[in-house]
Amino acid sequence: MSRSERSSLLLAGLLATAGVAHFAAPRQFDATIPSALPGSPRTWTYASGVVELALAAGIAAPRTRRTAALAAAGFFVSVFPANVKMALDWRDRPTPQKAAAYGRLPLQVPLVLWARNVAKNGEGRS
């Protein structure tokens, strides 16, 4: 297995794991949904989980990898406000939790770059 194939499958695995987590423990995700969004937080939690699972499947398949990886990069950017909300909401929590919440913020950048790299190296043939 090539390095780029391994990277693609690791990204797909990360997204699949996150997608499943949205259904297995939705309450923790509900709390990160910005109140400015219409509808119930649970709906957004489940929708986000579905998107992550779909992106994982798309990245795992060589024919759809490029498009799905570009969509994943956009998705990582779009969920950044939820991560900011979580960090702000957790600013009064114990130091380890606060550090985890704030530490997540800069991690969005390598996730976006990783997805873009998978798209660049993906086959993407229809």
Side-chain angles (χ1 to χ4, degrees), residues 33-56:
I33 305 300
S35 59
L37 292 175
S40 100
R42 183 61 51 94
T43 300
W44 287 99
T45 293
Y46 286 154
S48 179
V50 168
V51 169
E52 286 171 324
L53 291 170
L55 291 170

Side-chain angles (χ1 to χ4, degrees), residues 2-120:
S2 72
R3 184 175 188 195
S4 101
E5 179 75 11
R6 191 170 30 256
S7 178
S8 298
L9 294 178
L10 285 171
L11 180 58
L14 173 80
L15 284 161
T17 300
V20 168
H22 279 72
F23 292 95
R27 242 179 38 209
Q28 71 181 17
F29 295 98
D30 292 348
T32 68
I33 305 300
S35 59
L37 292 175
S40 100
R42 183 61 51 94
T43 300
W44 287 99
T45 293
Y46 286 154
S48 179
V50 168
V51 169
E52 286 171 324
L53 291 170
L55 291 170
I59 291 169
R63 291 173 58 99
T64 56
R65 181 168 295 146
R66 183 178 188 290
T67 301
L70 287 173
F75 178 78
F76 291 140
V77 170
S78 75
V79 299
F80 187 73
N83 292 339
V84 170
K85 180 184 182 308
M86 179 182 171
L88 292 173
D89 289 349
W90 286 26
R91 66 182 170 251
D92 296 325
R93 291 209 179 180
T95 301
Q97 290 178 337
K98 187 174 11 181
Y102 281 101
R104 271 180 77 168
L105 298 177
L107 290 178
Q108 292 300 114
V109 173
L111 285 173
V112 171
L113 296 175
W114 184 11
R116 287 184 53 203
N117 189 52
V118 166
K120 185 177 81 169

